Amino acid sequence: MRQTLAEIAAIDAVGPFCRVRFSAPDLAAALEPGRAVLARWPDAYLRRAWWPCAIDADAFSVLAHPAQIESLRTGDRVDVLGPVGRGFQVDVATRNLLLVAGSTSLAFTLGPLLPLADRALPEGRSVTLAFAAPNPEVAYPVSSLSPAIEVIRAMDTDLIDLLSDAIAWADQVLACGPTGFTTRLSAHIRSIRRPAPRGFFQALNPVHLPCGVGACGVCRTGSRLACVDGPVFELNESEVNERGLS
Amino acid sequence: MIELAPQHKTGLSLKSPIMPASGSAGFAAEYAALIDWSRWGAFVTNPVTARPRPPAGEPVTIDLGAAVLMHAGIPNPGVRAVIDDSRSAWKRMGVPVIVHVAGTTPDDVAECVVRLAIIDEVHAVELGVRDEEDEGAIAALIGAAIEASEKPVLVRLPFERAAEFAATCVDAGAKALVVAAPPRGTLLHGDGFVSGRIYGRGVLPLALRAVREVHALVDAPIVASGGVHAVEDARAMLSAGAVAVQVDALIWRDPKAALAIAEAFATD
């Protein structure tokens, strides 16, 4: 873990969202999908946790709503701390990867899954990405995704109801969303894949991580700290993580 | 050297007046990758209790921009686990370790402090007392801690009643007073009110006032705590009569800035 200054290299519109690219060579090299970056933010006392939507050798990007970043400009330097926590673990044997964004706050729940797709496709894995977008105007633009990714988009139905075939197909299900969603998804997975192999279902709940090192205790549930033991938890583990979306 | 327990047989000597406030820096090694504690005067742990204590049912973090309201309860794995997990890190710190014991009941405090008494890596106990206690209950808590160990006992006063309780604590045997725990506050959040402790630089003038009040009332070393976010804030606390200063939420917000305060007072 390190605290460093990351320079904003670019801010690009992606549908209704903005993608902010930070140049931070010493931090980017240590990032993994699911691990967080805590950034100082002009309107906040505490750092804000971001889960990168893209990770390169010397830079990372985050997905944000335009209102969240209206004070930021290209060239600004932002104090960041990371990487925080334990990320997703993709098994070397996995061929079929199901990624599930579990709320309509897609900047929070879809963004953290995108680096998994970025890494999986060049490795020859098949990727299905599922998310709910009842209002197409605020949905993540499918056209910006690789055409190799199969997309399941729930418009006016429960996303989980659409996932049975994909769960049966998947070697791993990696999800991001609030506990209520991941708990329901977990139950659905167990009704289809029982017993599920170790690491089959992993879920990230993008919660507040005020300190990021396990000192403040705010993200503790039972004996687990989201910032140290998570924020990605395996099946069953995710059910003890009872925090809401940040 | 700064002496925090001048009337005590072992004393509590610090090379620097700067230390983390309880609740800010964890139990031992949490910030090891970011903060060199050897540049500080002492290390103060998060609160411990005799038995494991779960987190608050519904932790609260409400960021107001200039300050934050937080409530996590006193989550800790219990004093035995804290000792087992932290002892080797305490040994490597190179500064006195002060374990904060949550002042729950005299029996709980005694059980906690007895276990700490035989740990060489622990140099003192900081006892936290709650604002809802009366003076008799506070004296009983301090008495239980002193009875259980020969290590110096510091008392962290509740913010709202620091001046009221100061003399009682010194009379009961507290070697130094920490002024004070973060103030409590309440906000309307959603459909209901939530309470927690308030952190931010806005706490500084309130804490500075409390330090001056307590300094005028008692003849005991004072460790100032609350709202310190810069070297000049720490100097103001020392000018107000404190002999040492604790840094709290700045450690979460900006570990480098917290370390810079410690470096400004470090003696090489």
Side-chain angles (χ1 to χ4, degrees), chain B:
Chain B
M1 294 293 273
I2 297 151
E3 183 52 60
L4 274 189
Q7 307 302 322
H8 188 270
K9 68 178 184 182
T10 63
L12 180 59
S13 298
L14 314 181
K15 290 187 295 183
S16 155
I18 308 300
M19 63 182 80
S22 179
S24 305
F27 294 103
E30 286 86 342
Y31 271 103
L34 297 167
I35 294 177
D36 178 3
W37 295 114
S38 73
R39 306 297 292 167
W40 297 57
F43 180 83
V44 185
T45 71
N46 278 9
V48 300
T49 49
R51 308 206 195 306
R53 187 154 159 157
E58 190 64 44
V60 171
T61 307
I62 301 176
D63 201 315
L64 300 169
V68 64
L69 181 93
M70 288 178 66
H71 173 57
I74 312 174
N76 77 95
V79 67
R80 290 175 64 176
V82 168
I83 291 169
D84 290 346
D85 295 345
S86 305
R87 198 170 177 179
S88 61
W90 290 340
K91 194 168 191 172
R92 292 193 301 270
M93 279 180 176
V95 294
V97 171
I98 302 170
V99 175
H100 182 105
V101 174
T104 48
T105 67
D107 286 348
D108 193 89
V109 166
E111 187 176 341
C112 229
V113 176
V114 159
R115 294 193 183 280
L116 296 167
I118 56 173
I119 307 300
D120 292 341
E121 292 80 7
V122 175
H123 298 81
V125 168
E126 179 185 285
L127 179 66
V129 297
R130 298 176 293 188
D131 53 3
E132 62 263 38
E133 303 286 10
D134 60 32
E135 293 181 357
I138 290 171
L141 290 170
I142 297 170
I146 292 172
E147 184 82 10
S149 171
E150 294 187 339
K151 298 183 191 293
V153 174
L154 291 61
V155 174
R156 185 168 81 165
L157 295 164
F159 195 95
E160 295 77 6
R161 303 179 74 180
E164 179 185 346
F165 289 160
T168 296
C169 293
V170 174
D171 292 345
K175 296 304 175 192
L177 300 177
V178 180
V179 183
R184 295 181 187 278
T186 299
L187 286 169
L188 183 61
H189 185 59
D191 295 331
F193 290 101
V194 295
S195 297
R197 294 191 182 274
I198 304 166
Y199 300 91
R201 201 173 186 183
V203 174
L204 179 71
L206 302 170
L208 203 52
R209 177 184 170 88
V211 167
R212 295 188 72 196
E213 283 182 345
V214 172
H215 181 57
L217 290 170
V218 297
D219 183 20
I222 292 172
V223 181
S225 187
V228 172
H229 281 60
V231 173
E232 59 264 33
D233 299 347
R235 293 199 197 286
M237 290 294 205
L238 296 172
S239 298
V243 298
V245 177
Q246 293 185 346
V247 179
D248 54 23
L250 180 65
I251 294 172
W252 307 329
R253 177 180 161 88
D254 192 344
K256 277 187 178 175
L259 182 57
I261 296 174
E263 288 287 357
F265 292 89
T267 53
D268 291 311

